[in-house]
Amino acid sequence: MANEIRNLTVVGSGAMGSQIAMVCALAGLTVHLVDVDEAALERAEGNLSGLMKKRIEKGRLTEAAVQGAFSRLTFTPDLAKTVSGTDFVIEAIVEKLDAKQDLFRKLDSLTPAHTILATNSSTIVSSKLAEVTNRPDKVCNMHFFNPALVMQLVEVVRNPETSQATVDTTVDLVRTLGKTPVVLNKEISGFLANRILGKVMDEAIDLYEAGIASPEEIDLAVTKGLNHPIGPFALMDLTGIDVNYYVRLERYNETGDERDKPRKSIVEKFEKGELGRKTGKGWYEYEAGGEKRGL
């Protein structure tokens, strides 16, 4: 159970990985954020400091709570040393199967036998990662939503060999973090929320590519007409257009269905390096502080 988890490691210090690590540290766990890119770790620490400062200013967190969380959170490039004593690993690296499999092979050889290995992926089912380990019963998906500090839902997905003990421990951990778990008893690419959201995004892109309306007008229709908190184009900029590209490519490689390929406009932006907020331009343009400007 989660009360047996003393030491937790998050691998991958991007927006998702760093915020997942902070969520865990705020919940009182000892957390190690690992990334081979030391510059990325520095950026993650800086970004988290900025986010926490805003939360203190808005009265959502106390300075003592934030200081306590940072005292429990370390930033390190040393995977082998870090995971040798960890109880639970959450992988949050790039959405590429070969990269994740390489990491899970390493984690399987470096972590104690009791350690649960979870992937934050919403596209790559954990059976594809479990098959390269000697502990398939201790592998599952633990999918947080972006931004992890804000979003409450976490999808826990078992593969055919995931043990009930692993599911129970992961669900208990989600609740310890103050999040709401949903359990999927069968693997399916995209899981629950993203399969539904994916249909919204596909229709939004189809409307744009057909010349029906601009991304801004479509986003307004969704936020003002459907009462969604954010439009599909603004959401793609937030999560990263590269993420959308890799997710769709992975799904196409799995299904062979031409309809699952990344849309033409997504490919164009990916190839131009217009990936959203992280690059300052995606469907919208952004100021240095992240403020959106319509294209």
Side-chain angles (χ1 to χ4, degrees):
M1 292 299 173
N3 58 10
E4 299 170 350
I5 298 171
R6 300 279 185 263
N7 204 306
L8 185 144
T9 299
V10 179
V11 183
S13 65
M16 283 302 296
S18 60
Q19 289 200 26
I20 291 169
M22 180 54 74
V23 166
C24 295
L26 285 167
L29 296 173
T30 297
V31 185
H32 304 279
L33 182 59
V34 179
D35 200 305
V36 293
D37 186 345
E38 294 192 52
L41 287 171
E42 291 179 8
R43 288 194 298 272
E45 187 169 7
N47 290 338
L48 288 176
S49 295
L51 288 171
M52 293 300 100
K53 182 179 179 181
K54 289 180 181 178
R55 291 194 159 213
I56 292 171
E57 291 172 350
K58 293 179 179 179
R60 295 175 182 171
L61 287 171
T62 65
E63 191 167 341
V66 170
Q67 288 179 350
F70 272 113
S71 73
R72 292 185 290 272
L73 175 58
T74 59
F75 301 80
T76 175
D78 192 339
L79 177 70
K81 182 179 179 181
T82 299
V83 301
S84 63
T86 200
D87 302 307
F88 201 106
V89 177
I90 302 173
E91 169 271 313
I93 66 170
V94 65
E95 287 289 281
K96 293 183 177 180
L97 178 60
D98 56 351
K100 290 182 187 292
Q101 286 183 329
D102 286 346
L103 176 60
F104 270 68
R105 287 189 189 95
K106 292 176 183 176
L107 291 172
D108 188 46
S109 66
L110 295 170
T111 57
H114 72 274
T115 305
I116 291 174
L117 307 179
T119 173
N120 181 57
S121 179
S122 64
T123 305
I124 298 172
V125 292
S126 69
S127 59
K128 293 185 177 181
L129 306 178
E131 67 185 21
V132 303
T133 76
N134 293 307
R135 62 181 87 188
D137 60 311
K138 293 183 173 64
V139 178
C140 68
N141 288 81
M142 185 184 188
H143 175 231
F144 291 76
F145 288 79
N146 192 12
L149 281 163
V150 176
M151 301 298 285
Q152 289 299 302
L153 186 68
V154 178
E155 294 171 318
V156 178
V157 189
R158 67 194 314 157
N159 68 64
E161 296 191 65
T162 307
S163 70
Q164 188 60 45
T166 294
V167 173
D168 291 344
T169 299
T170 306
V171 166
D172 193 36
L173 174 59
V174 172
R175 292 187 175 127
T176 297
L177 300 179
K179 304 293 187 182
T180 301
V182 292
V183 176
L184 280 71
N185 291 314
K186 293 183 179 180
E187 293 185 322
I188 182 170
S189 180
F191 309 153
L192 300 180
N194 278 345
R195 287 184 74 87
I196 297 168
L197 179 62
K199 298 299 183 183
V200 174
M201 285 188 173
D202 284 351
E203 186 63 26
I205 294 172
D206 287 347
L207 290 168
Y208 163 72
E209 291 186 350
I212 305 299
S214 68
E216 188 170 31
E217 296 296 332
I218 295 168
D219 275 358
L220 281 171
V222 171
T223 57
K224 303 301 183 182
L226 302 180
N227 206 29
H228 288 202
I230 186 171
F233 291 98
L235 181 58
M236 281 186 271
D237 276 359
L238 175 63
T239 58
I241 289 172
D242 54 331
V243 173
N244 182 288
Y245 175 84
Y246 286 128
V247 164
R248 296 305 297 259
L249 198 61
E250 186 62 38
R251 188 171 296 175
Y252 169 68
N253 290 336
E254 179 182 321
T255 67
D257 189 335
E258 291 289 321
R259 293 172 297 180
D260 286 335
K261 276 187 174 180
R263 292 296 202 268
K264 178 183 176 181
S265 55
I266 293 291
V267 174
E268 289 174 353
K269 288 196 173 293
F270 176 82
E271 291 178 346
K272 290 179 182 177
E274 297 176 359
L275 307 181
R277 292 193 187 189
K278 68 178 76 176
T279 60
K281 184 177 182 180
W283 296 107
Y284 299 92
E285 290 183 350
Y286 297 88
E287 306 287 355
E291 185 178 347
K292 183 174 70 176
R293 292 189 289 116
L295 292 177

